[in-house]
Amino acid sequence: MNNKIKKKFIGKRYTLILFAFIVLAIFMFLLNRSEKYNVQRIYGESIHARREFLHDTVENLVLDINSTKDNSIEMYKTMLDSDFPIVKKNIGQRGLSYLREYVGTHNMGNSITMHCGYIAYNSRDYDVIEDTLSLLPFNWEGDESVFDQAFVAYKKVEFSGTTYVYGYLRVGMEESLERIFRGKIHGMKFSSPETNLVIRKILNYSGGSNYAACLVNRNEASKEGSYYSTESENESFRPFADELERLAHSGRSYLIQRIPGNDREQLVGFSMLEKSLNWVITMVTVSELIDEITPVMIGEEKVEISSLAVVPVGIVLMLLLILALFYCIIADQKRYNRNQRKLKEQVDFDALTKANSRQFGKEDLAFAWRRFLTNPKNAPAIMFMDLDKFKHINDFYGHEAGDLVLQGVVKKIYDTIRHSDVLIRWGGDEFLGIFNGLEKADVARFAKKLLEAIENLKIEYQGKVLQVTASLGFSFFLESDNDEEDVVKRADNGLYECKGAGGNTFFIV
């Protein structure tokens, strides 16, 4: 009898041990799948955050390029207007000899290769008298549109049957921009050494061999001056051909693609086309590749396993399993929330100035617009700010000095405004402000206070003291607005009114 009881007890004991192993196996399986699913979720959101970071960085750089280009063209036009009376008088007296001397003087010692150029032709039959740079096409018949292609700014003088055209060459301006942004991009710092920023110039939108030239390559300067091809032996990996097609269609292209022969990493990138220069600005980084994971579901099979718990110990083990799973869920959620906060900080704040990013600003502005539609009395003051003559600081002291000025101005603004106010770096030296509760009657007092704080800011750089002023445009939401972009446009118009008045002032639209 004792042997029977002993065998029965031993049988139950082995059953409990087996059940414990089964429960443990289920627990380990669920823990493993939960971890993988959580990794996939964080991984996907990490990829999205990286794409947004690449997009904002490239878009800000394109805005900076456009701003620098427009300022250069305005400078060229101003110089031509200033010299025109003297040039016209001397051409009338000395003709081509003076024009050669004038253009030669402007090209000597200039950092831009062939900064200026000129053309002389017969005003009646368009016979070319002199075109040393071959700016005119063969058999030219007077089509003056070629002047806009050759020059970014030019003047015409007609005298004694001869037309003289002179000005600043487009190729010279492009070389100047290339040199400026090569220095700026090579000076940029990123958290990952594999992150790269490249500028290419498209030579042929149809693609093919040598369809684009490399102007700037941050990580591999030796490739600057080389050419790219859309042709590839691997039909499954044609990044340049696919990118060119998307750029021609929409002016921008995202890239998430596996690297041939590399099972652990993939490329994540964003490209944007600056059409007037035919420049493609591309930012790319390398991301770890993980296998696609499908969330695990436990169905009736789980019920069948749990039905084996015929003794109290099994119930205790199941309770322990539930508690363990609950603990894992909480631990995973905490880990997920912690990673979410880190990702949000990277996306919501500008890396240089610590002001809010443009992506964050768009969302906050849209939220303010929706709140206004619900209650029109909740109309925050919207400010568009631009630093006066900021390009002068970059040109004369370098972009490092410009970065210090931007950081100093943002810190001074934060010291002046309330914690509830929002400051956004919109692009370059442009900032957007959202000031809830600021009434129109108080805008003038607030604007003067802000302008005075910025004007009194002194930034030391290499033994010199740098100072800037700002122009501020203010506006408010209107019930006639179509969306939140309308108030930004009005504030921007107010900003340009300030620029026209010489800067260091504000204007309310």
Side-chain angles (χ1 to χ4, degrees):
M1 184 69 181
N2 290 335
N3 288 335
K4 289 183 179 181
I5 295 173
K6 186 176 180 181
K7 287 181 180 179
K8 187 176 181 181
F9 174 76
I10 292 173
K12 286 186 177 182
R13 186 175 65 178
Y14 282 127
T15 300
L16 291 175
I17 292 173
L18 178 61
F19 176 73
F21 274 113
I22 292 174
V23 171
L24 181 62
I26 294 174
F27 168 71
M28 295 302 296
F29 175 76
L30 291 177
L31 180 63
N32 180 59
R33 300 305 290 178
S34 173
E35 181 69 23
K36 287 184 177 180
Y37 176 62
N38 193 43
V39 167
Q40 184 195 32
R41 181 174 58 175
I42 295 175
Y43 172 78
E45 294 183 0
S46 172
I47 290 292
H48 177 73
R50 289 189 186 192
R51 284 180 52 170
E52 291 297 320
F53 170 69
L54 297 178
H55 176 277
D56 287 349
T57 303
V58 170
E59 190 172 66
N60 281 334
L61 188 58
V62 170
L63 289 171
D64 197 3
I65 290 171
N66 283 327
S67 175
T68 305
K69 179 191 67 177
D70 293 342
N71 290 337
S72 298
I73 292 173
E74 286 302 314
M75 179 187 69
Y76 294 150
K77 290 180 178 179
T78 300
M79 293 170 66
L80 286 175
D81 289 341
S82 175
D83 291 348
F84 185 68
I86 298 173
V87 174
K88 184 176 180 181
K89 176 182 177 182
N90 281 282
I91 286 177
Q93 295 175 352
R94 297 170 54 193
L96 263 177
S97 62
Y98 172 76
L99 195 55
R100 294 190 196 103
E101 180 183 311
Y102 174 82
V103 171
T105 301
H106 280 67
N107 282 330
M108 278 181 58
N110 201 294
S111 61
I112 306 173
T113 304
M114 298 311 295
H115 192 66
C116 291
Y118 67 93
I119 304 166
Y121 61 88
N122 188 295
S123 302
R124 178 176 298 178
D125 56 19
Y126 304 112
D127 283 345
V128 178
I129 299 172
E130 190 161 325
D131 179 17
T132 56
L133 298 179
S134 301
L135 302 176
L136 297 175
F138 184 71
N139 291 333
W140 181 63
E141 296 181 351
D143 181 10
E144 295 189 358
S145 65
V146 298
F147 300 157
D148 294 322
Q149 299 172 13
F151 300 98
V152 292
Y154 68 90
K155 290 288 187 181
K156 284 174 56 179
V157 176
E158 293 189 22
F159 184 77
S160 297
T162 299
T163 299
Y164 305 87
V165 181
Y166 68 96
Y168 291 90
L169 299 172
R170 188 171 298 278
V171 66
M173 182 194 70
E174 289 185 11
E175 289 179 3
S176 175
L177 290 173
E178 179 184 336
R179 187 163 36 254
I180 290 170
F181 285 95
R182 179 181 293 114
K184 188 166 187 175
I185 288 173
H186 280 294
M188 289 182 173
K189 298 188 187 320
F190 301 113
S191 57
S192 171
E194 295 170 325
T195 301
N196 197 14
L197 198 52
V198 178
I199 296 181
R200 289 164 287 151
K201 181 178 178 66
I202 295 182
L203 307 175
N204 183 359
Y205 280 90
S206 298
S209 179
N210 298 338
Y211 85 99
C214 179
L215 304 182
V216 182
N217 190 314
R218 177 185 174 273
N219 289 357
E220 298 179 273
S222 60
K223 289 189 176 181
E224 294 175 356
S226 63
Y227 292 89
Y228 294 86
S229 173
T230 58
E231 299 169 356
S232 173
E233 296 180 0
N234 188 345
E235 288 298 322
S236 65
F237 188 71
R238 301 171 63 250
F240 295 129
D242 296 338
E243 176 200 59
L244 184 61
E245 183 178 342
R246 288 189 290 266
L247 289 172
H249 176 69
S250 64
R252 55 189 62 203
S253 173
Y254 284 102
L255 170 70
I256 299 181
Q257 191 160 10
R258 295 193 178 200
I259 304 171
N262 188 337
D263 296 330
R264 299 184 61 188
E265 295 177 319
Q266 65 181 354
L267 293 176
V268 181
F270 175 70
S271 298
M272 192 169 180
L273 175 65
E274 207 297 313
K275 184 65 175 175
S276 66
L277 297 170
N278 292 319
W279 284 11
V280 178
I281 296 84
T282 300
M283 191 173 185
V284 66
T285 189
V286 175
S287 172
E288 184 181 356
L289 184 65
I290 65 171
D291 293 333
E292 188 173 347
I293 304 168
T294 305
V296 178
M297 298 294 292
I298 302 298
E300 294 181 358
E301 191 173 355
K302 178 182 175 183
V303 177
E304 293 174 2
I305 293 173
S306 63
S307 65
L308 295 174
V310 293
V311 291
V313 176
I315 297 174
V316 172
L317 286 174
M318 289 305 298
L319 290 174
L320 289 175
L321 173 61
I322 293 171
L323 290 174
L325 287 174
F326 185 71
Y327 170 79
C328 290
I329 291 171
I330 293 176
D332 283 349
Q333 190 63 42
K334 285 183 178 179
R335 194 158 48 243
Y336 171 74
N337 291 339
R338 188 163 56 248
N339 290 331
Q340 277 289 90
R341 286 194 298 271
K342 290 181 180 178
L343 291 173
K344 186 172 178 60
E345 288 174 3
Q346 294 176 5
V347 173
D348 286 356
F349 294 94
D350 176 61
L352 174 65
T353 63
K354 306 306 178 186
N356 291 115
S357 68
R358 184 181 179 118
Q359 178 66 26
F360 175 88
K362 288 180 178 178
E363 295 172 359
D364 211 50
L365 189 64
F367 176 76
W369 166 248
R370 291 193 298 270
R371 190 172 59 180
F372 167 78
L373 293 178
T374 304
N375 184 2
K377 292 182 179 180
N378 289 330
I382 305 300
M383 177 192 77
F384 207 92
M385 184 188 85
D386 180 88
L387 300 183
D388 301 326
K389 300 179 181 178
F390 180 72
K391 181 179 180 298
H392 172 81
I393 293 177
N394 276 334
D395 290 345
F396 282 86
Y397 298 101
H399 288 279
E400 183 179 2
D403 290 346
L404 287 176
V405 169
L406 288 174
Q407 291 170 338
V409 168
V410 169
K411 185 177 184 305
K412 178 57 69 174
I413 292 175
Y414 273 131
D415 290 341
T416 306
I417 63 179
R418 302 166 300 180
H419 290 294
S420 59
D421 296 330
V422 179
L423 181 66
I424 303 145
R425 188 180 182 192
W426 206 247
D429 61 327
E430 293 180 337
F431 293 84
L432 188 81
I434 303 175
F435 304 103
N436 292 297
L438 180 60
E439 301 291 339
K440 190 171 184 179
D442 299 322
V443 167
R445 180 179 56 81
F446 170 77
K448 290 176 183 177
K449 179 182 177 182
L450 196 57
L451 289 171
E452 183 180 358
I454 295 173
E455 186 179 14
N456 292 334
L457 176 64
K458 296 180 180 180
I459 298 170
E460 294 187 1
Y461 177 74
Q462 296 184 354
K464 294 181 171 46
V465 176
L466 307 180
Q467 289 183 277
V468 291
T469 58
S471 295
L472 312 177
F474 286 87
S475 190
F476 292 80
F477 290 125
L478 300 176
E479 293 183 356
S480 59
D481 287 346
N482 294 317
D483 54 33
E484 65 270 21
E485 294 295 331
D486 288 345
V487 72
V488 176
K489 292 175 183 176
R490 285 196 299 276
D492 193 26
N493 290 336
L495 172 67
Y496 278 96
E497 289 289 336
C498 299
K499 291 291 186 183
N504 197 23
T505 186
F506 66 95
F507 194 86
I508 305 172
V509 181

